[in-house]
């Protein structure tokens, strides 16, 4: 077991995730292309609004590249550290009370033929209602990074929810009341199975009906799903 000391307050290092230089290089190429196209349009058409817009987008993308080269996040047993050219910051897992996860595939089709496909990731971490860190798909292994963040934040949040429910209090997720007796007005014994579809949690009821709960982009959706898994005996706790 690692010794927790003032020099090592977060314990054992679990993983390090760095921003992908290759992905940033693609962003830089797009920035140069946008700025160049914008400059061409402005030179051809005086004060072209589209040209000016392209130049501004190119400048913003270039600024993003400069400020994110070499970014990395280090995950530890007791917390995480974020390093960037502009700042270094650290948080204990117990400081982070909310996580919003967006993990979806965006694709464009024409007559059923896929033109392009893009997997969008965004993990936003909050402390006391304030966003303190946002990590996206530019990092290497973004799905693995998201899974690690969800696991570590849930280690703190899930016990709080379970304790409140055991004390007879209600937990609210997406305006739905959760209690030790059931979800909303439906008792736990009425739920047979669960799954996910298109950013929704799908709960199958004993009367062949289904209940859909939106989880994509909702605060602490991962903790909500874990809570349902425990209630349906698909996850053991602790």
């Amino acid at each position: 077991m690692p010794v927790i000391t003032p020099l090592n307050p977060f314990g054992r290092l679990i993983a390090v995730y760095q921003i992908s230089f290759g992905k940033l290089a693609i962003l830089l190429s797009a920035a140069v292309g946008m700025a160049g196209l914008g400059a061409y349009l402005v030179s051809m058409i005086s004060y072209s609004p589209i040209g000016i817009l392209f130049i501004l987008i190119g400048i913003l993308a270039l600024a993003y590249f400069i400020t994110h080269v070499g970014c990395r996040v280090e995950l530890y047993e007791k917390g995480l550290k974020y390093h960037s050219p502009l700042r270094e910051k650290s948080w204990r897992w117990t400081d982070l009370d909310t996580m919003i996860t967006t993990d979806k595939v965006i694709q464009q089709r024409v007559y059923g033929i896929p033109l392009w496909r893009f997997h969008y990731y965004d993990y936003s971490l909050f402390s006391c209602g304030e966003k303190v860190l946002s990590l996206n798909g530019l990092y290497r292994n973004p799905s693995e990074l998201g899974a690690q963040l969800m696991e570590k934040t849930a280690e703190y949040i899930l016990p709080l929810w379970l304790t409140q429910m055991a004390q007879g209090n209600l937990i609210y997720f997406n305006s739905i009341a959760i209690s030790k007796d059931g979800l909303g007005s439906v008792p736990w014994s009425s739920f047979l199975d669960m799954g996910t579809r298109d950013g929704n949690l799908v709960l199958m009821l004993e009367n062949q009906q289904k209940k859909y709960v939106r989880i994509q982009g909702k605060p602490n959706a991962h903790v909500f799903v874990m809570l349902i898994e425990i209630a349906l005996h698909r996850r053991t706790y602790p």
Side-chain angles (χ1 to χ4, degrees):
M1 290 291 292
V3 178
I4 308 298
T5 69
L7 296 178
N8 182 30
F10 290 159
R12 179 177 60 89
L13 177 66
I14 298 174
V16 177
Y17 295 91
Q18 294 182 319
I19 206 160
S20 169
F21 184 81
K23 294 178 181 178
L24 278 180
I26 294 174
L27 179 66
L28 178 62
S29 299
V32 172
M34 293 283 285
L37 178 59
Y40 172 76
L41 290 174
V42 169
S43 66
M44 296 296 293
I45 307 173
S46 298
Y47 302 106
S48 167
I50 296 179
I52 295 173
L53 177 62
F54 281 5
I55 292 174
L56 291 176
I57 293 175
I59 292 173
L60 290 175
L62 180 60
Y64 186 92
F65 175 86
I66 294 171
T67 56
H68 285 77
V69 169
C71 282
R72 72 181 188 276
V73 59
E74 301 171 356
L75 307 186
Y76 294 83
E77 284 185 324
K78 302 294 183 180
L80 66 86
K81 295 180 181 180
Y82 173 75
H83 303 266
S84 79
L86 297 181
R87 64 168 180 155
E88 293 189 3
K89 187 70 176 176
S90 61
W91 300 268
R92 292 184 178 274
W93 295 119
T94 51
D95 297 331
L96 304 171
D97 50 33
T98 304
M99 177 177 175
I100 297 179
T101 302
T102 303
D103 181 348
K104 61 183 178 180
V105 175
I106 304 172
Q107 59 183 355
Q108 180 65 47
R109 292 176 176 268
V110 175
Y111 299 113
I113 302 174
L115 293 182
W116 52 264
R117 188 174 184 271
F118 175 70
H119 203 145
Y120 177 78
Y121 300 92
D122 183 80
Y123 309 114
S124 297
L125 298 169
F126 296 76
S127 179
C128 300
E130 178 184 355
K131 182 189 287 189
V132 295
L133 185 62
S134 183
L135 304 171
N136 56 37
L138 292 177
Y139 284 81
R140 296 192 178 100
N141 302 317
S143 60
E144 181 183 301
L145 169 60
Q148 292 270 21
L149 291 172
M150 287 188 280
E151 177 184 345
K152 299 305 294 185
T153 53
E155 285 181 6
Y156 165 64
I157 302 170
L158 181 59
L160 295 179
W161 285 22
L162 290 171
T163 299
Q164 291 187 44
M165 289 171 57
Q167 294 173 348
N169 298 319
L170 296 177
I171 300 294
Y172 286 92
F173 176 82
N174 202 14
S175 301
I176 300 175
I178 313 166
S179 72
K180 61 182 180 181
D181 299 317
L183 184 66
S185 59
V186 184
W188 293 119
S189 58
S190 297
F191 295 103
L192 299 179
D193 203 356
M194 61 180 289
T196 57
R197 180 179 179 183
D198 299 330
N200 296 296
L201 180 67
V202 185
L203 296 164
M204 278 64 81
L205 302 173
E206 57 185 1
N207 56 4
Q208 304 298 318
Q209 292 184 343
K210 296 180 181 179
K211 184 177 181 65
Y212 292 83
V213 181
R214 186 67 180 173
I215 57 175
Q216 183 75 266
K218 300 297 181 181
N220 290 332
H222 62 301
V223 185
F224 171 71
V225 172
M226 291 179 183
L227 197 65
I228 301 299
E229 290 175 338
I230 292 171
L232 300 187
H233 307 291
R234 296 186 57 173
R235 174 188 292 264
T236 56
Y237 182 86

mmCIF file of all heavy atoms in Angstrom, residues 141-184:
data_model
loop_
_atom_site.group_PDB
_atom_site.id
_atom_site.type_symbol
_atom_site.label_atom_id
_atom_site.label_comp_id
_atom_site.label_asym_id
_atom_site.label_seq_id
_atom_site.Cartn_x
_atom_site.Cartn_y
_atom_site.Cartn_z
ATOM 1 N N ASN A 141 -7.112 7.377 -26.044
ATOM 2 C CA ASN A 141 -8.017 6.431 -25.386
ATOM 3 C C ASN A 141 -9.127 7.146 -24.588
ATOM 4 O O ASN A 141 -9.270 6.956 -23.386
ATOM 5 C CB ASN A 141 -7.237 5.502 -24.447
ATOM 6 C CG ASN A 141 -6.157 4.725 -25.158
ATOM 7 O OD1 ASN A 141 -6.367 4.217 -26.255
ATOM 8 N ND2 ASN A 141 -4.989 4.631 -24.544
ATOM 9 N N PRO A 142 -9.915 7.994 -25.258
ATOM 10 C CA PRO A 142 -10.920 8.779 -24.527
ATOM 11 C C PRO A 142 -11.982 7.931 -23.842
ATOM 12 O O PRO A 142 -12.465 8.300 -22.765
ATOM 13 C CB PRO A 142 -11.531 9.676 -25.615
ATOM 14 C CG PRO A 142 -11.244 8.968 -26.901
ATOM 15 C CD PRO A 142 -9.932 8.289 -26.704
ATOM 16 N N SER A 143 -12.373 6.797 -24.430
ATOM 17 C CA SER A 143 -13.390 5.968 -23.784
ATOM 18 C C SER A 143 -12.852 5.355 -22.497
ATOM 19 O O SER A 143 -13.567 5.258 -21.487
ATOM 20 C CB SER A 143 -13.858 4.867 -24.741
ATOM 21 O OG SER A 143 -12.775 4.039 -25.129
ATOM 22 N N GLU A 144 -11.583 4.957 -22.511
ATOM 23 C CA GLU A 144 -10.956 4.415 -21.297
ATOM 24 C C GLU A 144 -10.825 5.501 -20.231
ATOM 25 O O GLU A 144 -11.057 5.256 -19.044
ATOM 26 C CB GLU A 144 -9.582 3.843 -21.633
ATOM 27 C CG GLU A 144 -8.847 3.234 -20.450
ATOM 28 C CD GLU A 144 -7.465 2.748 -20.826
ATOM 29 O OE1 GLU A 144 -7.374 1.880 -21.723
ATOM 30 O OE2 GLU A 144 -6.487 3.235 -20.228
ATOM 31 N N LEU A 145 -10.454 6.704 -20.645
ATOM 32 C CA LEU A 145 -10.369 7.834 -19.728
ATOM 33 C C LEU A 145 -11.719 8.098 -19.075
ATOM 34 O O LEU A 145 -11.813 8.285 -17.846
ATOM 35 C CB LEU A 145 -9.891 9.079 -20.485
ATOM 36 C CG LEU A 145 -9.989 10.420 -19.745
ATOM 37 C CD1 LEU A 145 -9.154 10.410 -18.468
ATOM 38 C CD2 LEU A 145 -9.559 11.567 -20.665
ATOM 39 N N GLY A 146 -12.782 8.100 -19.872
ATOM 40 C CA GLY A 146 -14.120 8.335 -19.332
ATOM 41 C C GLY A 146 -14.531 7.268 -18.335
ATOM 42 O O GLY A 146 -15.123 7.566 -17.289
ATOM 43 N N ALA A 147 -14.204 6.002 -18.655
ATOM 44 C CA ALA A 147 -14.556 4.904 -17.744
ATOM 45 C C ALA A 147 -13.839 5.051 -16.407
ATOM 46 O O ALA A 147 -14.435 4.814 -15.337
ATOM 47 C CB ALA A 147 -14.213 3.571 -18.397
ATOM 48 N N GLN A 148 -12.569 5.459 -16.452
ATOM 49 C CA GLN A 148 -11.814 5.658 -15.209
ATOM 50 C C GLN A 148 -12.396 6.806 -14.388
ATOM 51 O O GLN A 148 -12.532 6.705 -13.162
ATOM 52 C CB GLN A 148 -10.346 5.956 -15.544
ATOM 53 C CG GLN A 148 -9.585 4.802 -16.149
ATOM 54 C CD GLN A 148 -8.916 3.928 -15.088
ATOM 55 O OE1 GLN A 148 -9.309 3.933 -13.917
ATOM 56 N NE2 GLN A 148 -7.918 3.179 -15.497
ATOM 57 N N LEU A 149 -12.751 7.896 -15.055
ATOM 58 C CA LEU A 149 -13.331 9.045 -14.348
ATOM 59 C C LEU A 149 -14.673 8.682 -13.710
ATOM 60 O O LEU A 149 -14.954 9.067 -12.574
ATOM 61 C CB LEU A 149 -13.508 10.221 -15.318
ATOM 62 C CG LEU A 149 -12.237 10.895 -15.823
ATOM 63 C CD1 LEU A 149 -12.575 11.910 -16.909
ATOM 64 C CD2 LEU A 149 -11.486 11.572 -14.682
ATOM 65 N N MET A 150 -15.489 7.933 -14.441
ATOM 66 C CA MET A 150 -16.786 7.539 -13.897
ATOM 67 C C MET A 150 -16.626 6.617 -12.687
ATOM 68 O O MET A 150 -17.334 6.747 -11.687
ATOM 69 C CB MET A 150 -17.633 6.861 -14.986
ATOM 70 C CG MET A 150 -18.167 7.836 -16.022
ATOM 71 S SD MET A 150 -19.344 7.106 -17.191
ATOM 72 C CE MET A 150 -18.202 6.302 -18.319
ATOM 73 N N GLU A 151 -15.678 5.700 -12.783
ATOM 74 C CA GLU A 151 -15.463 4.770 -11.668
ATOM 75 C C GLU A 151 -15.003 5.503 -10.411
ATOM 76 O O GLU A 151 -15.519 5.260 -9.312
ATOM 77 C CB GLU A 151 -14.421 3.725 -12.064
ATOM 78 C CG GLU A 151 -14.079 2.744 -10.948
ATOM 79 C CD GLU A 151 -12.979 1.772 -11.323
ATOM 80 O OE1 GLU A 151 -12.660 1.661 -12.524
ATOM 81 O OE2 GLU A 151 -12.429 1.132 -10.408
ATOM 82 N N LYS A 152 -14.036 6.416 -10.568
ATOM 83 C CA LYS A 152 -13.480 7.092 -9.394
ATOM 84 C C LYS A 152 -14.449 8.102 -8.789
ATOM 85 O O LYS A 152 -14.532 8.216 -7.567
ATOM 86 C CB LYS A 152 -12.149 7.768 -9.761
ATOM 87 C CG LYS A 152 -11.060 6.822 -10.246
ATOM 88 C CD LYS A 152 -10.790 5.711 -9.251
ATOM 89 C CE LYS A 152 -10.193 6.191 -7.948
ATOM 90 N NZ LYS A 152 -9.842 5.081 -7.039
ATOM 91 N N THR A 153 -15.185 8.843 -9.620
ATOM 92 C CA THR A 153 -16.149 9.794 -9.051
ATOM 93 C C THR A 153 -17.302 9.063 -8.377
ATOM 94 O O THR A 153 -17.820 9.512 -7.352
ATOM 95 C CB THR A 153 -16.690 10.737 -10.134
ATOM 96 O OG1 THR A 153 -17.208 9.978 -11.244
ATOM 97 C CG2 THR A 153 -15.613 11.681 -10.644
ATOM 98 N N ALA A 154 -17.709 7.925 -8.928
ATOM 99 C CA ALA A 154 -18.815 7.161 -8.338
ATOM 100 C C ALA A 154 -18.437 6.574 -6.980
ATOM 101 O O ALA A 154 -19.308 6.363 -6.135
ATOM 102 C CB ALA A 154 -19.252 6.047 -9.279
ATOM 103 N N GLU A 155 -17.154 6.310 -6.763
ATOM 104 C CA GLU A 155 -16.717 5.769 -5.477
ATOM 105 C C GLU A 155 -17.090 6.698 -4.325
ATOM 106 O O GLU A 155 -17.280 6.243 -3.190
ATOM 107 C CB GLU A 155 -15.203 5.536 -5.491
ATOM 108 C CG GLU A 155 -14.774 4.314 -6.289
ATOM 109 C CD GLU A 155 -13.268 4.111 -6.257
ATOM 110 O OE1 GLU A 155 -12.587 4.868 -5.523
ATOM 111 O OE2 GLU A 155 -12.770 3.223 -6.956
ATOM 112 N N TYR A 156 -17.195 7.981 -4.616
ATOM 113 C CA TYR A 156 -17.566 8.959 -3.595
ATOM 114 C C TYR A 156 -19.055 9.283 -3.630
ATOM 115 O O TYR A 156 -19.711 9.355 -2.580
ATOM 116 C CB TYR A 156 -16.737 10.233 -3.803
ATOM 117 C CG TYR A 156 -17.253 11.438 -3.060
ATOM 118 C CD1 TYR A 156 -17.282 11.465 -1.669
ATOM 119 C CD2 TYR A 156 -17.720 12.556 -3.741
ATOM 120 C CE1 TYR A 156 -17.762 12.577 -0.983
ATOM 121 C CE2 TYR A 156 -18.192 13.664 -3.071
ATOM 122 C CZ TYR A 156 -18.210 13.672 -1.694
ATOM 123 O OH TYR A 156 -18.682 14.767 -1.022
ATOM 124 N N ILE A 157 -19.611 9.459 -4.817
ATOM 125 C CA ILE A 157 -20.999 9.923 -4.940
ATOM 126 C C ILE A 157 -22.003 8.821 -4.624
ATOM 127 O O ILE A 157 -23.004 9.048 -3.933
ATOM 128 C CB ILE A 157 -21.248 10.488 -6.355
ATOM 129 C CG1 ILE A 157 -20.272 11.628 -6.656
ATOM 130 C CG2 ILE A 157 -22.688 10.984 -6.494
ATOM 131 C CD1 ILE A 157 -20.291 12.085 -8.101
ATOM 132 N N LEU A 158 -21.760 7.602 -5.127
ATOM 133 C CA LEU A 158 -22.719 6.507 -4.944
ATOM 134 C C LEU A 158 -23.009 6.202 -3.473
ATOM 135 O O LEU A 158 -24.178 6.062 -3.106
ATOM 136 C CB LEU A 158 -22.213 5.258 -5.673
ATOM 137 C CG LEU A 158 -23.119 4.020 -5.599
ATOM 138 C CD1 LEU A 158 -24.495 4.308 -6.188
ATOM 139 C CD2 LEU A 158 -22.472 2.838 -6.329
ATOM 140 N N PRO A 159 -22.009 6.103 -2.592
ATOM 141 C CA PRO A 159 -22.323 5.862 -1.180
ATOM 142 C C PRO A 159 -23.176 6.965 -0.554
ATOM 143 O O PRO A 159 -24.022 6.678 0.303
ATOM 144 C CB PRO A 159 -20.939 5.795 -0.516
ATOM 145 C CG PRO A 159 -20.014 5.403 -1.605
ATOM 146 C CD PRO A 159 -20.558 6.065 -2.842
ATOM 147 N N LEU A 160 -22.971 8.208 -0.984
ATOM 148 C CA LEU A 160 -23.795 9.310 -0.466
ATOM 149 C C LEU A 160 -25.247 9.121 -0.857
ATOM 150 O O LEU A 160 -26.164 9.315 -0.038
ATOM 151 C CB LEU A 160 -23.266 10.651 -0.985
ATOM 152 C CG LEU A 160 -21.876 11.080 -0.520
ATOM 153 C CD1 LEU A 160 -21.511 12.422 -1.141
ATOM 154 C CD2 LEU A 160 -21.839 11.190 1.001
ATOM 155 N N TRP A 161 -25.493 8.765 -2.114
ATOM 156 C CA TRP A 161 -26.862 8.534 -2.587
ATOM 157 C C TRP A 161 -27.510 7.375 -1.832
ATOM 158 O O TRP A 161 -28.667 7.478 -1.387
ATOM 159 C CB TRP A 161 -26.854 8.250 -4.083
ATOM 160 C CG TRP A 161 -26.640 9.453 -4.955
ATOM 161 C CD1 TRP A 161 -26.059 10.636 -4.576
ATOM 162 C CD2 TRP A 161 -26.982 9.585 -6.329
ATOM 163 N NE1 TRP A 161 -26.017 11.494 -5.646
ATOM 164 C CE2 TRP A 161 -26.577 10.890 -6.728
ATOM 165 C CE3 TRP A 161 -27.568 8.754 -7.259
ATOM 166 C CZ2 TRP A 161 -26.767 11.359 -8.022
ATOM 167 C CZ3 TRP A 161 -27.750 9.214 -8.561
ATOM 168 C CH2 TRP A 161 -27.353 10.503 -8.930
ATOM 169 N N LEU A 162 -26.776 6.280 -1.679
ATOM 170 C CA LEU A 162 -27.334 5.106 -1.009
ATOM 171 C C LEU A 162 -27.639 5.404 0.462
ATOM 172 O O LEU A 162 -28.657 4.947 0.996
ATOM 173 C CB LEU A 162 -26.359 3.937 -1.119
ATOM 174 C CG LEU A 162 -26.192 3.339 -2.518
ATOM 175 C CD1 LEU A 162 -25.052 2.331 -2.542
ATOM 176 C CD2 LEU A 162 -27.486 2.685 -2.990
ATOM 177 N N THR A 163 -26.784 6.181 1.093
ATOM 178 C CA THR A 163 -27.021 6.550 2.496
ATOM 179 C C THR A 163 -28.270 7.404 2.633
ATOM 180 O O THR A 163 -29.100 7.182 3.526
ATOM 181 C CB THR A 163 -25.803 7.304 3.061
ATOM 182 O OG1 THR A 163 -24.652 6.458 3.001
ATOM 183 C CG2 THR A 163 -26.047 7.728 4.500
ATOM 184 N N GLN A 164 -28.427 8.378 1.730
ATOM 185 C CA GLN A 164 -29.620 9.231 1.781
ATOM 186 C C GLN A 164 -30.892 8.418 1.548
ATOM 187 O O GLN A 164 -31.906 8.628 2.224
ATOM 188 C CB GLN A 164 -29.503 10.344 0.737
ATOM 189 C CG GLN A 164 -28.428 11.369 1.046
ATOM 190 C CD GLN A 164 -28.454 12.544 0.089
ATOM 191 O OE1 GLN A 164 -29.513 13.081 -0.230
ATOM 192 N NE2 GLN A 164 -27.286 12.943 -0.387
ATOM 193 N N MET A 165 -30.846 7.480 0.618
ATOM 194 C CA MET A 165 -32.014 6.643 0.360
ATOM 195 C C MET A 165 -32.326 5.747 1.555
ATOM 196 O O MET A 165 -33.488 5.547 1.908
ATOM 197 C CB MET A 165 -31.776 5.805 -0.898
ATOM 198 C CG MET A 165 -31.794 6.611 -2.185
ATOM 199 S SD MET A 165 -31.263 5.650 -3.636
ATOM 200 C CE MET A 165 -32.419 4.295 -3.593
ATOM 201 N N ALA A 166 -31.294 5.195 2.183
ATOM 202 C CA ALA A 166 -31.497 4.340 3.353
ATOM 203 C C ALA A 166 -32.123 5.114 4.504
ATOM 204 O O ALA A 166 -32.849 4.540 5.331
ATOM 205 C CB ALA A 166 -30.164 3.725 3.777
ATOM 206 N N GLN A 167 -31.869 6.421 4.542
ATOM 207 C CA GLN A 167 -32.442 7.274 5.594
ATOM 208 C C GLN A 167 -33.854 7.753 5.248
ATOM 209 O O GLN A 167 -34.450 8.507 6.012
ATOM 210 C CB GLN A 167 -31.533 8.471 5.825
ATOM 211 C CG GLN A 167 -30.170 8.110 6.404
ATOM 212 C CD GLN A 167 -29.219 9.284 6.472
ATOM 213 O OE1 GLN A 167 -29.470 10.352 5.888
ATOM 214 N NE2 GLN A 167 -28.112 9.109 7.186
ATOM 215 N N GLY A 168 -34.376 7.291 4.098
ATOM 216 C CA GLY A 168 -35.727 7.661 3.700
ATOM 217 C C GLY A 168 -35.821 8.919 2.871
ATOM 218 O O GLY A 168 -36.935 9.388 2.582
ATOM 219 N N ASN A 169 -34.690 9.469 2.458
ATOM 220 C CA ASN A 169 -34.697 10.681 1.645
ATOM 221 C C ASN A 169 -34.801 10.328 0.160
ATOM 222 O O ASN A 169 -34.494 9.209 -0.249
ATOM 223 C CB ASN A 169 -33.418 11.492 1.879
ATOM 224 C CG ASN A 169 -33.289 11.942 3.312
ATOM 225 O OD1 ASN A 169 -34.274 12.347 3.929
ATOM 226 N ND2 ASN A 169 -32.085 11.873 3.863
ATOM 227 N N LEU A 170 -35.245 11.297 -0.631
ATOM 228 C CA LEU A 170 -35.369 11.113 -2.073
ATOM 229 C C LEU A 170 -34.139 11.644 -2.789
ATOM 230 O O LEU A 170 -33.587 12.681 -2.415
ATOM 231 C CB LEU A 170 -36.617 11.832 -2.610
ATOM 232 C CG LEU A 170 -37.972 11.342 -2.107
ATOM 233 C CD1 LEU A 170 -39.080 12.209 -2.687
ATOM 234 C CD2 LEU A 170 -38.193 9.883 -2.463
ATOM 235 N N ILE A 171 -33.725 10.941 -3.835
ATOM 236 C CA ILE A 171 -32.683 11.405 -4.745
ATOM 237 C C ILE A 171 -33.365 11.745 -6.061
ATOM 238 O O ILE A 171 -34.200 10.978 -6.546
ATOM 239 C CB ILE A 171 -31.619 10.313 -4.971
ATOM 240 C CG1 ILE A 171 -30.950 9.917 -3.659
ATOM 241 C CG2 ILE A 171 -30.575 10.787 -5.981
ATOM 242 C CD1 ILE A 171 -30.128 10.998 -3.036
ATOM 243 N N TYR A 172 -33.028 12.887 -6.625
ATOM 244 C CA TYR A 172 -33.662 13.288 -7.882
ATOM 245 C C TYR A 172 -32.656 13.219 -9.019
ATOM 246 O O TYR A 172 -31.549 13.744 -8.938
ATOM 247 C CB TYR A 172 -34.223 14.706 -7.771
ATOM 248 C CG TYR A 172 -35.486 14.778 -6.944
ATOM 249 C CD1 TYR A 172 -35.409 15.025 -5.579
ATOM 250 C CD2 TYR A 172 -36.733 14.563 -7.526
ATOM 251 C CE1 TYR A 172 -36.564 15.070 -4.812
ATOM 252 C CE2 TYR A 172 -37.891 14.612 -6.763
ATOM 253 C CZ TYR A 172 -37.800 14.862 -5.407
ATOM 254 O OH TYR A 172 -38.950 14.894 -4.638
ATOM 255 N N PHE A 173 -33.057 12.533 -10.079
ATOM 256 C CA PHE A 173 -32.270 12.484 -11.302
ATOM 257 C C PHE A 173 -33.185 12.807 -12.469
ATOM 258 O O PHE A 173 -34.197 12.135 -12.689
ATOM 259 C CB PHE A 173 -31.647 11.097 -11.507
ATOM 260 C CG PHE A 173 -30.902 10.977 -12.812
ATOM 261 C CD1 PHE A 173 -29.606 11.453 -12.926
ATOM 262 C CD2 PHE A 173 -31.508 10.421 -13.932
ATOM 263 C CE1 PHE A 173 -28.921 11.362 -14.125
ATOM 264 C CE2 PHE A 173 -30.833 10.331 -15.138
ATOM 265 C CZ PHE A 173 -29.535 10.803 -15.233
ATOM 266 N N ASN A 174 -32.829 13.863 -13.217
ATOM 267 C CA ASN A 174 -33.625 14.247 -14.382
ATOM 268 C C ASN A 174 -35.109 14.391 -14.018
ATOM 269 O O ASN A 174 -35.998 13.936 -14.735
ATOM 270 C CB ASN A 174 -33.450 13.212 -15.503
ATOM 271 C CG ASN A 174 -33.773 13.768 -16.874
ATOM 272 O OD1 ASN A 174 -33.885 14.984 -17.045
ATOM 273 N ND2 ASN A 174 -33.936 12.899 -17.838
ATOM 274 N N SER A 175 -35.359 15.026 -12.866
ATOM 275 C CA SER A 175 -36.706 15.311 -12.342
ATOM 276 C C SER A 175 -37.456 14.058 -11.884
ATOM 277 O O SER A 175 -38.652 14.119 -11.618
ATOM 278 C CB SER A 175 -37.568 16.064 -13.377
ATOM 279 O OG SER A 175 -36.946 17.280 -13.741
ATOM 280 N N ILE A 176 -36.774 12.916 -11.804
ATOM 281 C CA ILE A 176 -37.400 11.686 -11.350
ATOM 282 C C ILE A 176 -36.950 11.393 -9.928
ATOM 283 O O ILE A 176 -35.747 11.406 -9.634
ATOM 284 C CB ILE A 176 -37.034 10.501 -12.269
ATOM 285 C CG1 ILE A 176 -37.500 10.775 -13.702
ATOM 286 C CG2 ILE A 176 -37.652 9.204 -11.764
ATOM 287 C CD1 ILE A 176 -37.061 9.711 -14.689
ATOM 288 N N ALA A 177 -37.907 11.146 -9.048
ATOM 289 C CA ALA A 177 -37.582 10.850 -7.654
ATOM 290 C C ALA A 177 -37.178 9.382 -7.514
ATOM 291 O O ALA A 177 -37.843 8.484 -8.031
ATOM 292 C CB ALA A 177 -38.784 11.151 -6.765
ATOM 293 N N ILE A 178 -36.072 9.149 -6.818
ATOM 294 C CA ILE A 178 -35.585 7.805 -6.565
ATOM 295 C C ILE A 178 -35.598 7.578 -5.060
ATOM 296 O O ILE A 178 -35.079 8.403 -4.299
ATOM 297 C CB ILE A 178 -34.151 7.613 -7.094
ATOM 298 C CG1 ILE A 178 -34.013 8.167 -8.515
ATOM 299 C CG2 ILE A 178 -33.745 6.158 -7.038
ATOM 300 C CD1 ILE A 178 -32.584 8.326 -8.959
ATOM 301 N N SER A 179 -36.187 6.492 -4.638
ATOM 302 C CA SER A 179 -36.247 6.164 -3.215
ATOM 303 C C SER A 179 -35.861 4.706 -3.010
ATOM 304 O O SER A 179 -35.653 3.960 -3.980
ATOM 305 C CB SER A 179 -37.641 6.423 -2.658
ATOM 306 O OG SER A 179 -38.555 5.446 -3.143
ATOM 307 N N LYS A 180 -35.796 4.283 -1.773
ATOM 308 C CA LYS A 180 -35.488 2.879 -1.489
ATOM 309 C C LYS A 180 -36.626 1.961 -1.915
ATOM 310 O O LYS A 180 -36.439 0.745 -2.024
ATOM 311 C CB LYS A 180 -35.206 2.699 0.000
ATOM 312 C CG LYS A 180 -36.362 3.067 0.913
ATOM 313 C CD LYS A 180 -35.987 2.901 2.368
ATOM 314 C CE LYS A 180 -37.140 3.279 3.285
ATOM 315 N NZ LYS A 180 -36.772 3.134 4.720
ATOM 316 N N ASP A 181 -37.817 2.559 -2.204
ATOM 317 C CA ASP A 181 -38.975 1.748 -2.599
ATOM 318 C C ASP A 181 -39.143 1.627 -4.107
ATOM 319 O O ASP A 181 -39.774 0.687 -4.588
ATOM 320 C CB ASP A 181 -40.252 2.344 -1.989
ATOM 321 C CG ASP A 181 -40.215 2.363 -0.473
ATOM 322 O OD1 ASP A 181 -39.785 1.348 0.107
ATOM 323 O OD2 ASP A 181 -40.597 3.388 0.121
ATOM 324 N N GLY A 182 -38.621 2.598 -4.867
ATOM 325 C CA GLY A 182 -38.803 2.516 -6.306
ATOM 326 C C GLY A 182 -38.340 3.747 -7.043
ATOM 327 O O GLY A 182 -37.768 4.680 -6.465
ATOM 328 N N LEU A 183 -38.618 3.736 -8.339
ATOM 329 C CA LEU A 183 -38.265 4.844 -9.229
ATOM 330 C C LEU A 183 -39.546 5.576 -9.578
ATOM 331 O O LEU A 183 -40.423 5.030 -10.255
ATOM 332 C CB LEU A 183 -37.594 4.300 -10.487
ATOM 333 C CG LEU A 183 -37.071 5.320 -11.502
ATOM 334 C CD1 LEU A 183 -35.923 6.117 -10.908
ATOM 335 C CD2 LEU A 183 -36.618 4.619 -12.780
ATOM 336 N N GLY A 184 -39.650 6.823 -9.114
ATOM 337 C CA GLY A 184 -40.916 7.533 -9.274
ATOM 338 C C GLY A 184 -42.003 6.813 -8.496
ATOM 339 O O GLY A 184 -41.841 6.509 -7.311
#
